[in-house]
Amino acid sequence: MPDEIEVRTAPDGAVVIGPEPVGAAGLVFVALTDGVLVVDPMAPHNVPQLRLTGEPAEATESLFGTAVAGRARGVDVPAPELVASPERDALVRLGILRWLHERSPVSLDLPLVVVEQLALEAGLTELLDPEHHAPLAILDWVPALIEWSGRARGTDSDFRRTAEVAEVILDGLRTAELQLESGGRLHSDVVHEIELLTAISAWGLSGADPDGAWAVLDELRPQPADDLGHGDLPSWHGNGPVDWDRTPPRATARHEEAVSWSIRGGALSVVVDLFPPAPHAAVLAAPAAAADRPGRLQATLYASSWPLPLASIDLELRAESGAWMGTHQLDPAVLQHISRVAETALFIDVHARGTRHRAPIGPAADRASAARWAARGLSALRLAAAGRSRAGLLSTASQALTRAATFYSGLPDGVGGPEARQCRALAQWATGGGTPLNVWRPNGSAEADTPPVFDPVGGPAGPSAAEVWYAADAPRSE
């Protein structure tokens, strides 16, 4: 029997359809014509939540059916049942791609993620809010797509190692064909590439060699702190993470020791690791408008017992060193202040330049740490589903998710309880070698036939083309 779908009025007066999401690894908000769809990438098979911003319209009916739309309008109808909706699945998939774009801790090839998003959005234009959606954006990618298609026809091309990459190129070309004026030169070139690449794909693509173990992914595990030493002069040093919400997504490394700092001879020095380069950046041409913009970063020195910043440094991007770097001579008054506090009370906040509020501390910092570890665990699960070194990645996922659950469980007043349970469920699922385990009960349900929260193979949760290609060429152990 289909599940009933909840329709209720929130305390703020908004009509809400669907259960409250957990979102241990972060939530994605997709703006629709009549509301905002909330997607939990860690639970893609659960019903997403829709918060209406006006009268329910076509989007609501397409995603949840006419009975739910009627209940949302205040019509007295029997408890509506959840209906199948390809559009809802496609929007959940879109949410996952956006999560990969903004939150993935590994260096996926961003152009593939963007093209897969744009091709998917093209079929959802009538549901997406036009103020947050550019339906013609795929046209900026036409020259790149034509170049990729030409390379994919080469017998020794890396583009032919994974069928998923060729499929994304085809989807992008087909989407662009519908937007281009028929009969034009560019339209003809796109049609020609579609025909050729379709024929090549029908012959079969060579697969990636499955032999060889992955090296441990630095982005998914802790790194040993550098021993900077003290020397003869008074000095302090430390390591720490970057707050993902306060820096551009691909500006800095995402491991927990991405920031190294030291104070020697009165000078504060900060080094922040760069986000690792994508494996195929050299062969994936991308429009200039889509290129990563690292922005400008600052590092601010704080003492936990003092609310004001002690010093701020503009960091310089040093690509040749693989880091952001900065040095600043501290004022004598600042040196006198920090000489009275313990080294562990000092910390560096790395943030986008112009960010005014202070980094989270206390429980808020613990919640941020938990979300980072949950994101690493989810990333490892998804890469395992892509088909390489499954056992090692599942073990990595279990460890990361268990650590996330520990952080969530330690939050005061039990506020992290649902997130901790979600992480433990996925950790147990990973420990079982990917065998579906009925360990997570949405909304506290105790039904024995509740499906697992995460199935990385079927439905909208399947690996993206960028993840499959990353898995095909991941670093090998010696």
Side-chain angles (χ1 to χ4, degrees):
M1 180 178 179
D3 295 331
E4 293 182 358
I5 184 72
E6 181 183 7
V7 180
R8 67 189 185 282
T9 301
D12 61 2
V15 175
V16 178
I17 300 171
E20 286 297 321
V22 177
L27 298 171
V28 182
F29 301 91
V30 182
L32 306 181
T33 54
D34 53 0
V36 176
L37 194 72
V38 186
V39 177
D40 182 355
M42 192 175 272
H45 297 286
N46 284 356
V47 180
Q49 183 186 90
L50 176 63
R51 293 182 62 88
L52 293 173
T53 54
E55 282 293 312
E58 182 179 353
T60 304
E61 294 193 5
S62 296
L63 302 184
F64 297 102
T66 55
V68 171
R71 174 68 70 89
R73 294 187 183 100
V75 178
D76 186 13
V77 297
E81 295 178 344
L82 182 65
V83 299
S85 169
E87 294 87 354
R88 188 177 67 235
D89 289 344
L91 284 167
V92 170
R93 175 71 172 181
L94 178 61
I96 291 174
L97 289 169
R98 291 184 178 179
W99 183 89
L100 290 172
H101 191 162
E102 299 294 327
R103 302 287 292 185
S104 174
V106 298
S107 53
L108 303 177
D109 287 293
L110 187 57
L112 288 180
V113 178
V114 172
V115 169
E116 191 168 348
Q117 285 184 72
L118 294 177
L120 190 57
E121 288 176 2
L124 300 167
T125 296
E126 294 183 358
L127 303 180
L128 295 171
D129 184 348
E131 294 186 3
H132 298 85
H133 166 58
L136 299 181
I138 191 67
L139 296 183
D140 294 335
W141 289 83
V142 170
L145 288 167
I146 290 175
E147 181 178 345
W148 296 354
S149 178
R151 292 184 181 181
R153 297 198 302 273
T155 56
D156 58 347
S157 171
D158 283 347
F159 285 81
R160 298 190 62 179
R161 297 187 66 186
T162 54
E164 289 81 358
V165 171
E167 191 60 37
V168 164
I169 297 172
L170 268 175
D171 286 346
L173 288 169
R174 289 167 179 154
T175 302
E177 179 192 6
L178 298 176
Q179 307 289 351
L180 291 168
E181 183 178 352
S182 180
R185 174 63 182 273
L186 197 57
H187 181 272
S188 299
D189 289 345
V190 167
V191 171
H192 183 62
E193 292 299 332
I194 291 173
E195 293 172 348
L196 292 175
L197 192 55
T198 300
I200 290 291
S201 298
W203 294 340
L205 299 170
S206 57
D209 180 4
D211 296 332
W214 272 12
V216 176
L217 295 173
D218 289 344
E219 297 87 348
L220 305 180
R221 65 173 175 86
Q223 302 297 300
D226 294 331
D227 183 7
L228 301 179
H230 285 271
D232 297 330
L233 297 173
S235 61
W236 299 261
H237 70 279
N239 293 78
V242 171
D243 186 339
W244 295 6
D245 294 326
R246 293 162 56 77
T247 56
R250 293 168 180 257
T252 68
R254 290 322 202 200
H255 57 78
E256 288 293 283
E257 283 76 31
V259 181
S260 300
W261 60 271
S262 66
I263 301 174
R264 291 193 185 90
L268 170 64
S269 298
V270 178
V271 178
V272 184
D273 293 345
L274 283 178
F275 195 79
H280 309 97
V283 298
L284 281 174
D292 283 336
R293 294 182 177 86
R296 302 176 71 179
L297 297 185
Q298 285 183 324
T300 303
L301 174 67
Y302 283 98
S304 58
S305 59
W306 188 252
L308 300 177
L310 300 177
S312 290
I313 310 174
D314 287 334
L315 299 179
E316 180 184 355
L317 179 61
R318 301 287 296 274
E320 71 280 4
S321 301
W324 296 83
M325 297 182 177
T327 302
H328 177 74
Q329 191 69 33
L330 297 176
D331 293 335
V334 171
L335 288 170
Q336 184 177 9
H337 179 81
I338 64 177
S339 68
R340 298 194 295 264
V341 302
E343 184 175 61
T344 54
L346 299 174
F347 69 95
I348 291 290
D349 171 32
V350 176
H351 52 88
R353 188 174 183 181
T355 303
R356 299 189 181 279
H357 59 279
R358 180 174 174 170
I361 58 175
D366 290 341
R367 175 177 282 278
S369 294
R372 292 195 297 269
W373 281 111
R376 294 186 185 103
L378 177 57
S379 181
L381 280 179
R382 295 186 59 83
L383 290 174
R388 279 293 299 270
S389 190
R390 183 175 176 85
L393 281 169
L394 288 175
S395 175
T396 297
S398 179
Q399 293 175 43
L401 290 164
T402 299
R403 183 170 294 199
T406 300
F407 276 111
Y408 276 125
S409 297
L411 295 177
D413 302 323
V415 296
E419 292 91 341
R421 291 191 293 272
Q422 188 180 47
C423 290
R424 288 196 189 97
L426 284 185
Q428 184 176 348
W429 189 90
T431 303
T435 302
L437 300 174
N438 296 327
V439 294
W440 172 245
R441 307 286 186 264
N443 300 326
S445 168
E447 297 179 8
D449 60 349
T450 301
V453 67
F454 185 78
D455 176 4
V457 177
S464 66
E467 289 169 301
V468 173
W469 208 16
Y470 185 95
D473 286 340
R476 303 283 186 91
S477 296
E478 295 297 335

